[in-house]
């Protein structure tokens, strides 16, 4: 049901993840760089914990801005009658949050991520955006039979930079542009897009966590038209607007990121 793409091991090649039905592990397909993929769901610890869950929304996001993509999963069964049987699964299910350990492995930390992650819900879509523009990626999750949840990221996190692309020879929004960011000795790659997860579209601004780095050494954007822009020496904790063929045309410094609390704090209605 859910699918997303990210270079989770920062080797320059985009990897794939997808959710599955209950009693089946979710998949994490590592891009081997040769036109082939290897399913690392077991060795990475991404798959086994998901077996009792029925996954829908799936998004990679660097929730702690350390430069390594983490993953969020919204779960919920399709058949309420499972609660009447001893199948080891339930209709309403909690979220899963996988923290990237930088060595090809993940740790599921959902139970430590705040009150919303303790709830059992029948969840479907999941989208990511920094809705309050404080440098932390937040989550919007839809549910059956209830209102959506807006989860503000209050986790302790590092520096960041975010890029909004404007195409000229390419499409207006720069969809399909490949962005490479080098900072603190680490090069990250990402692609400008909006739709992913399950029936969801996220913020098209491309977000990179920078860890302790306070400056970006280089940004390289490969546009769909075939042109390339290289931008040097940018401060961290800024939103940049980059126009194809021109470079940075606007920047919005956001100051230092808040560093308290947990990733999830559910806002009350009303």
């Amino acid at each position: 049901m859910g699918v997303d793409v990210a270079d989770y091991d920062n080797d320059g090649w985009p990897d794939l993840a997808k959710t599955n039905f209950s009693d089946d592990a979710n998949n994490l397909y590592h891009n081997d760089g040769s036109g082939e993929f290897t399913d690392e769901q077991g060795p990475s610890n991404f798959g086994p914990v998901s077996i009792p869950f029925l996954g829908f929304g799936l998004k990679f996001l660097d929730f702690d801005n350390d430069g390594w993509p983490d993953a969020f999963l919204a779960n919920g069964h399709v058949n309420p009658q499972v609660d009447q049987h001893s199948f080891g699964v339930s209709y309403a299910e909690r979220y899963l949050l996988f923290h990237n350990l930088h060595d090809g492995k993940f740790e599921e930390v959902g139970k430590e991520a705040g009150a919303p992650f303790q709830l059992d819900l029948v969840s479907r879509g999941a989208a990511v955006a920094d809705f309050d523009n404080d440098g932390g990626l937040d989550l919007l999750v839809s549910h059956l039979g209830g209102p959506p949840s807006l989860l503000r990221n209050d986790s302790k996190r590092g520096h960041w930079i975010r890029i909004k692309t404007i195409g000229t020879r390419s499409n207006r929004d720069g969809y399909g542009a490949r962005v490479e960011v080098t900072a603190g000795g680490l090069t990250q790659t990402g692609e400008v897009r909006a739709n992913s997860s399950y029936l969801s579209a996220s913020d098209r601004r491309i977000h990179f966590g920078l860890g302790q780095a306070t400056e970006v050494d280089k940004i390289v954007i490969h546009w769909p038209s075939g042109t390339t822009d290289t931008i040097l020496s940018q401060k961290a904790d800024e939103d940049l607007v980059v126009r194809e063929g021109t470079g940075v045309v606007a920047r919005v410094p956001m100051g230092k990121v808040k560093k308290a609390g947990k990733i999830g704090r559910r806002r009350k209605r009303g």
Side-chain angles (χ1 to χ4, degrees), residues 169-195:
R169 293 177 59 192
S170 303
N171 63 85
R172 176 64 171 76
D173 292 318
Y175 288 128
R178 178 182 170 89
V179 182
E180 302 169 1
V181 168
T182 300
L186 180 68
T187 297
Q188 304 174 59
T189 61
E191 184 174 299
V192 180
R193 56 195 174 88
N195 56 326

Side-chain angles (χ1 to χ4, degrees), residues 222-243:
H222 303 278
W223 298 89
S225 66
T227 62
T228 299
D229 287 327
T230 299
I231 302 161
L232 302 177
S233 189
Q234 298 294 313
K235 292 181 180 179
D237 304 331
E238 290 189 333
D239 269 288
L240 304 181
V241 180
V242 179
R243 180 176 289 122

Side-chain angles (χ1 to χ4, degrees), residues 8 10 61-71 98-103 105-106 135 137 153 155-161 183-188 207-213 259:
Y8 75 86
N10 286 324
L61 75 161
D62 185 359
F63 74 80
D64 55 355
N65 285 346
D66 66 352
W68 296 81
D70 312 298
F98 289 89
H99 185 224
N100 192 325
L101 301 181
H102 308 181
D103 58 359
K105 298 182 184 299
F106 290 84
L137 292 175
N153 185 345
S155 62
K156 184 177 181 180
R157 54 188 183 261
H159 297 285
W160 55 277
I161 197 162
L186 180 68
T187 297
Q188 304 174 59
H207 180 106
F208 294 94
L210 303 178
Q212 300 304 309
K259 297 182 179 290

Side-chain angles (χ1 to χ4, degrees), residues 112-192:
E112 306 167 14
F117 285 77
Q118 314 306 314
L119 301 174
D120 291 329
L121 299 162
V122 184
S123 304
R124 293 296 185 257
V128 171
D130 181 6
F131 80 91
D132 53 357
N133 285 322
D134 69 348
L137 292 175
D138 310 299
L139 289 156
L140 180 66
V141 187
S142 64
H143 312 289
L144 291 184
S149 295
L150 180 60
L151 308 182
R152 190 183 68 204
N153 185 345
D154 292 334
S155 62
K156 184 177 181 180
R157 54 188 183 261
H159 297 285
W160 55 277
I161 197 162
R162 189 161 46 229
I163 299 166
K164 179 180 179 180
T165 52
I166 298 176
T168 52
R169 293 177 59 192
S170 303
N171 63 85
R172 176 64 171 76
D173 292 318
Y175 288 128
R178 178 182 170 89
V179 182
E180 302 169 1
V181 168
T182 300
L186 180 68
T187 297
Q188 304 174 59
T189 61
E191 184 174 299
V192 180

Side-chain angles (χ1 to χ4, degrees), residues 28 35 44 72 78 84 86-87 112 168 201 214 241 243 252 256 261:
L28 181 65
S44 68
F72 170 84
V78 297
Q84 301 173 14
S86 301
F87 294 148
E112 306 167 14
T168 52
T214 59
V241 180
R243 180 176 289 122
V252 182
K256 292 189 176 181

